[in-house]
Amino acid sequence: MPSRSFWFVSACTMGLVGAGVPATAADTGASSDTEPTAASEQPEAGDIVVTARKRQENIVDTPLSISAYGGQTLRDRGVPNIHQLDTIVPSLTVTNFGAGNVSDATIFIRGIGTADHLILTDPGVGVYVDGVYLGRSMGANLDLANVDHVEVLRGPQGTLSGRNTLGGAVNIVTRQPDDTEHYEFTGSIATRLRATAGFYGNTPITDTLAVSLTGSFEHRNGIGDFINLPGESTKVGQIDKFGGRFAAKWTPSLNASFLLAVDGSDGHYGMSPMKNVIINPDGFSGLTQADLPKNENDNGTENPEIPKTSSKDLGVSLTSTVKLDDHLSAKLIGSERYSAYSGGLDDDDSPIGFSEYPETGHARQYTAEGTLNGEYGRFDFVTGAYFFHEKGNANQPDYVYLDAPGQFFINQTTRSWAVYAHGGFKLTDKLKISGGVRYTDDHKRAYAFIECCLSPGVTRRDSWNAVTWDVAVDYKIRPDLAAYATVQRGYESGGYPARPYGGAATFVAYDPTYATNYEVGLKGRIGDILRFSSALFYTQYKDLALQYSQTTADGYLTITANAGRSRTWGAEFEGDLKLTRALSLVGSVGYNNARVTKVDAGVIGVAKGDIPQLTPRWTVAVGPQLRVPLASGNIVTARVDTSYRSSMYGQSSNNDYNYIKPRYLTNFDISYEIPGKQITLSVYGTNIFNEVYDTSRVDQYDAGFTEIIRSNDRSEFGVKFRKAF
C-alpha cells in the first residue's frame, strides 16, 4: 500500500488541481526528474511530436538526438520489451547480468551505462514510465505491450532530465484515458510453448472522468535443465509474468486535469542462461571442463536457491496540470514506486561449491516535481524543482565461497533535489537559440557488512552537487527540415563500490562523472519520400567511473574507480524511406569510436586505450515492409527486420576472455488485417536463425574461468491475434 509520504505528495498535487486549471495538449506527456520526452505518432501527417524540453514540439524542432516509436511499430518490428529495443535504436546496447534475473536491464547509450544492479550503484541511463524515474535496473526490462510509444534520447540530458542520465534516457509513455470507448484483446501462441495474452480497455465514466485498464500475461518454457538438482521443475530461462495498469483521468474544467495511475508486475523466472569457459587450468577454483554441463543450455549448480528468480514492482503516481492563463501552465507530479527481486548466480556453473550467491533485494522511492511553463511571443521557458528519495538493500545471507558459507548485507539511502530553468528565443522565424541550467544536490548514506572481510559493518556518508547546462541553436531550412548544433553538460552522482570484499579500505566513495557533448544534426523530410534524423557527436567524460571485477581470496571483488578521462565520437542516422506506395524501408546506423584516454594512478584493471564496456562500434538495423491493400478492403503486410551489433567487451579491462562477438538477429511478420472487423492475424518469427550470443562476460582468470551470461531470446515461430471493439 502507498505510504503516508505518497499521500502527502498526492494531497499537494490535488491541491494544485483545486486551484482551477486543466490540461492542455502540451501537458499530456511525461514529466519527472527525468521527463525526457512524451511523443505521439500521428500517422496522417507522419509527424512525431515530443516534449523533450517539457513542452510540445515537432521532433524536427527539437535540437536533440531522439528516436521515437509508436506501439504498433514496436509490435510490427518484434520489440516486446526493453531488452529488444537495441535491435532497432542506433548506439543503444541492452544486456542483463544482475543476479541471473531476466528482469534486469543494463542499458548503455553511446558507450555509457552501469553494468551492475546492486543498490549501491546508479544506472548511467535513465528509464522512465510516464515521466517517473526508475532508480533501479532490476525490474527495468519492462513489457512494451499496450504502450502509446517509447522514446530514446541519446547524449547527456543534464538540464531538464537531471542526474544519472549521462548516456541518455529511455521513456515509456502509456496510453492515457480519453472520452472514447475502446477495447482491445491480443494473444499469441508460439514454439517453446510461448503464450501471451493482453487486454486494453478505455471507457468514459462521466463527461469529465475516464478510466483505462491494461493487463498482460506471458509464459515461455526454458531452454535447459538444472542437471545437479533432481526434481527441480524450473527451467533455465523460463518466463512467467503478469502485469497490469489502471489509470483514471479527471478533467473537471477546461483549466484543470489530473491523472491517477497504478501499475504493477509479478514475474517468476528461471535463472538466465549462462556458460563458463576454462581459461586457466591452474586457477585456484579447481574448476575443470569435466565439472561443467555437457549441454551449454543446462546449468550445473547444486544450490537449490539458485534456479528460481523473481521480480515484483508496484508504482503509483498522481499528476495534475493547471492552465494559469493564456501564457502560463503548471504541472505537479508525485509518485511512489516499490520493487523487490530474488535471484542469484553460481559463478562456477558446477557442483564444486566454489562461488554461489543467492540474493534478495528491494527498493522504495518517492519523487515529486513541479514545473512552470510559459510562452510569450518569440520567448518560451520552463522552470522546475525536483525531489527524489530512495531506500533499499541487497542481501546474501547464505552465500558460499570456497565451500565456506558467509553473509553479505548492503543498504543505501539516497536523497536528491534539484532546481532548473530552460528557455528559448526566436531571433527570426527560422533561427532559434535556447539554453538552460540545473543545480543538483545529492546525499547518500551506505552500509556494508561482509562476514569474511568487512565485519563489523561500515557506514559511509557522502554528498555531491553539480551545475549542469546546455545551449543550442537550430535553424529551419524549411518548415519540415532543420539543422541544429548543441552543447550539453551532464552529471552522474558519485557512489560506492558494489562488492567491497577488499575490506573497509575498498569501501570508499568514487567521485561523480561529468560529460560534455558537442553535437550537430540534420533532421526532417525530403518530400513525401524520406523522413530522417542524423547526428555527428563528440563527447568527453571526466572522472569516468569504470568497473573492474576480479576474484580474490575473500570473494568476488568489484572495484569501481574514476579512471580519469575517456571520449567517444561518432555518427547516427535513422530513416524511413517510401520506395513505392506499397514498399517502404526503415533503417538506422550508429557508429561509436570510444576510448579511455587517461587512467589515474592506482586504478586497477583499466588501461589507456581500452574501450569502455558494452560499447559496440557499429549498430545497424534494416527493415523492408510491403503493405498491399486488397480489393476486399483488407490489407496484407509483410516485413523483415534485421539487426547487427558489432563486437564489444564485457568489461573495460579489454582482453580476449571478455571479448563478445558480433550479433546478427532477424525477425519476420506477415499479417492479414480486416479493418471492417478491427481484426489482425499474423504469422511471425523472431531470431529465426536461432542466434545464440553472449550478453555479458566477466573474466576470472585467477579463479580459472570466464563467466558468461547468454541470450534468452532463442528462435520462436508463432501466430498472433488482435481484436479491437
Side-chain angles (χ1 to χ4, degrees):
M1 291 295 293
S3 67
R4 293 179 181 178
S5 300
F6 171 76
W7 293 117
F8 172 77
V9 172
S10 300
C12 294
T13 305
M14 295 181 70
L16 181 56
V17 175
V21 198
T24 62
D27 295 312
T28 58
S31 174
S32 97
D33 165 43
T34 53
E35 171 196 18
T37 73
S40 303
E41 291 192 356
Q42 300 177 357
E44 297 80 11
D47 292 331
I48 299 176
V49 176
V50 299
T51 57
R53 297 188 294 179
K54 296 189 185 289
R55 58 183 171 275
Q56 196 174 54
E57 299 175 300
N58 190 300
I59 195 170
V60 176
D61 300 330
T62 309
L64 299 170
S65 295
I66 307 174
S67 299
Y69 306 93
Q72 185 60 49
T73 297
L74 296 171
R75 289 188 290 271
D76 291 343
R77 300 187 68 176
V79 182
N81 52 45
I82 292 288
H83 272 174
Q84 300 305 311
L85 266 180
D86 72 353
T87 63
I88 61 175
V89 179
S91 303
L92 176 69
T93 301
V94 186
T95 72
N96 75 295
F97 191 88
N101 195 311
V102 300
S103 74
D104 176 66
T106 296
I107 304 176
F108 280 65
I109 295 178
R110 293 180 178 176
I112 293 298
T114 302
D116 211 318
H117 68 284
L118 290 181
I119 190 67
L120 298 183
T121 59
D122 291 325
V125 173
V127 177
Y128 316 91
V129 177
D130 289 336
V132 175
Y133 171 60
L134 309 186
R136 300 292 100 213
S137 66
M138 190 65 74
N141 183 30
L142 301 171
D143 292 333
L144 301 180
N146 288 323
V147 301
D148 183 75
H149 58 274
V150 175
E151 301 153 3
V152 180
L153 280 70
R154 295 181 291 275
Q157 308 296 316
T159 301
L160 293 176
S161 296
R163 61 194 287 271
N164 300 338
T165 54
L166 200 68
V170 177
N171 191 38
I172 299 167
V173 180
T174 65
R175 290 192 272 187
Q176 289 193 11
D178 59 30
D179 59 1
T180 61
E181 188 148 7
H182 179 74
Y183 304 95
E184 294 178 19
F185 294 90
T186 60
S188 69
I189 299 176
T191 55
R192 304 186 189 277
L193 288 183
R194 161 84 74 178
T196 67
F199 168 77
Y200 175 80
N202 180 93
T203 184
I205 304 299
T206 69
D207 291 341
T208 60
L209 177 65
V211 299
S212 66
L213 180 66
T214 301
S216 65
F217 163 76
E218 177 185 11
H219 167 81
R220 198 209 69 184
N221 274 8
I223 60 173
D225 297 315
F226 293 92
I227 58 175
N228 292 315
L229 290 170
E232 176 58 62
S233 60
T234 302
K235 304 297 183 181
V236 175
Q238 180 177 318
I239 299 173
D240 286 286
K241 186 176 183 179
F242 294 86
R245 181 179 181 86
F246 170 80
K249 187 172 184 179
W250 181 42
T251 309
S253 73
L254 295 176
N255 293 318
S257 71
F258 69 86
L259 175 71
L260 172 68
V262 181
D263 68 272
S265 67
D266 187 1
H268 297 267
Y269 319 101
M271 196 195 81
S272 298
M274 68 177 293
K275 173 188 174 182
N276 282 356
V277 175
I278 303 298
I279 58 176
N280 177 13
D282 298 323
F284 67 79
S285 69
L287 187 68
T288 67
Q289 190 64 45
D291 298 314
L292 300 175
K294 292 182 175 60
N295 183 336
E296 65 178 27
N297 290 326
D298 291 338
N299 188 278
T301 186
E302 92 297 354
N303 190 320
E305 296 183 70
I306 294 293
K308 294 180 175 65
T309 71
S310 67
S311 67
K312 295 183 179 181
D313 300 274
L314 176 64
V316 185
S317 65
L318 184 59
T319 304
S320 53
T321 308
V322 176
K323 183 178 179 182
L324 301 173
D325 57 32
D326 291 340
H327 303 284
L328 292 172
S329 64
K331 177 182 284 187
L332 181 63
I333 179 170
S335 75
E336 177 183 7
R337 294 196 69 86
Y338 174 81
S339 63
Y341 70 91
S342 66
L345 287 173
D346 186 331
D347 290 337
D348 52 85
D349 191 23
S350 78
I352 69 173
F354 165 67
S355 178
E356 302 167 2
Y357 296 94
E359 181 182 315
T360 62
H362 81 271
R364 187 182 297 274
Q365 68 173 59
Y366 308 93
T367 64
E369 182 176 26
T371 58
L372 179 68
N373 286 70
E375 186 169 351
Y376 294 87
R378 294 179 177 270
F379 176 63
D380 56 66
F381 71 89
V382 58
T383 63
Y386 175 78
F387 175 77
F388 173 86
H389 182 275
E390 179 189 59
K391 187 174 184 178
N393 62 39
N395 304 313
Q396 297 171 359
D398 51 1
Y399 77 79
V400 176
Y401 186 70
L402 292 176
D403 285 321
Q407 296 183 332
F408 173 101
F409 302 101
I410 57 174
N411 63 59
Q412 180 172 272
T413 300
T414 300
R415 178 178 59 81
S416 178
W417 62 270
V419 292
Y420 58 87
H422 193 278
F425 184 77
K426 286 186 176 181
L427 298 173
T428 70
D429 290 340
K430 293 185 175 183
L431 182 63
K432 183 177 181 179
I433 58 172
S434 58
V437 64
R438 185 186 190 103
Y439 174 81
T440 303
D441 187 271
D442 290 318
H443 294 259
K444 290 185 177 182
R445 176 188 179 275
Y447 168 82
F449 169 89
I450 307 176
E451 185 175 357
C452 67
C453 41
L454 195 56
S455 177
V458 173
T459 298
R460 306 290 193 201
R461 294 179 177 86
D462 284 276
S463 62
W464 304 271
N465 59 73
V467 174
T468 51
W469 47 266
D470 70 88
V471 294
V473 57
D474 53 283
Y475 180 76
K476 274 294 190 64
I477 301 170
R478 297 195 311 259
D480 59 356
L481 182 65
Y484 72 88
T486 186
V487 182
Q488 301 160 293
R489 178 73 164 176
Y491 156 78
E492 182 175 4
S493 172
Y496 302 93
R499 299 169 185 82
Y501 280 89
T506 60
F507 190 49
V508 293
Y510 53 86
D511 294 330
T513 299
Y514 297 89
T516 305
N517 180 55
Y518 306 87
E519 183 171 304
V520 295
L522 181 67
K523 60 174 71 175
R525 292 174 174 274
I526 298 178
D528 294 327
I529 298 175
L530 177 65
R531 184 176 66 187
F532 74 99
S533 176
S534 60
L536 299 172
F537 62 89
Y538 177 86
T539 312
Q540 293 179 316
Y541 299 94
K542 178 183 177 183
D543 292 331
L544 181 64
L546 295 176
Q547 290 183 322
Y548 171 67
S549 299
Q550 61 180 159
T551 302
T552 70
D554 294 312
Y556 186 67
L557 172 64
T558 299
I559 300 169
T560 306
N562 299 101
R565 294 178 181 271
S566 71
R567 59 94 182 123
T568 182
W569 60 267
E572 294 157 349
F573 177 86
E574 290 183 279
D576 184 347
L577 178 64
K578 292 185 178 180
L579 299 170
T580 68
R581 285 190 174 184
L583 183 62
S584 62
L585 179 69
V586 297
S588 66
V589 179
Y591 175 82
N592 282 262
N593 188 309
R595 286 287 188 274
V596 175
T597 57
K598 178 184 176 183
V599 176
D600 292 341
V603 173
I604 299 175
V606 182
K608 181 179 178 180
D610 279 347
I611 300 172
Q613 67 185 140
L614 302 178
T615 306
R617 180 158 292 191
W618 290 97
T619 51
V620 181
V622 178
Q625 174 177 287
L626 182 66
R627 183 175 174 85
V628 181
L630 304 179
S632 62
N634 300 333
I635 302 169
V636 174
T637 303
R639 65 174 300 120
V640 177
D641 285 280
T642 299
S643 72
Y644 167 75
R645 183 180 71 197
S646 64
S647 62
M648 57 186 183
Y649 290 94
Q651 292 191 282
S652 296
S653 53
N654 300 169
N655 58 49
D656 292 342
Y657 309 129
N658 61 57
Y659 173 82
I660 296 176
K661 294 179 180 179
R663 180 197 72 183
Y664 302 83
L665 297 176
T666 302
N667 304 333
F668 77 83
D669 185 285
I670 302 173
S671 66
Y672 183 76
E673 182 181 353
I674 309 173
K677 296 184 178 181
Q678 300 188 72
I679 292 176
T680 303
L681 300 171
S682 304
V683 177
Y684 76 95
T686 59
N687 190 5
I688 62 174
F689 299 113
N690 199 30
E691 177 91 352
V692 180
Y693 55 95
D694 302 341
T695 65
S696 302
R697 274 182 171 242
V698 177
D699 77 275
Q700 303 189 42
Y701 184 84
D702 291 338
F705 59 91
T706 289
E707 183 176 2
I708 307 168
I709 301 297
R710 312 210 79 190
S711 59
N712 198 35
D713 57 338
R714 308 302 169 86
S715 65
E716 292 180 14
F717 300 88
V719 294
K720 296 186 291 186
F721 170 82
R722 186 178 187 88
K723 168 63 177 174
F725 298 91

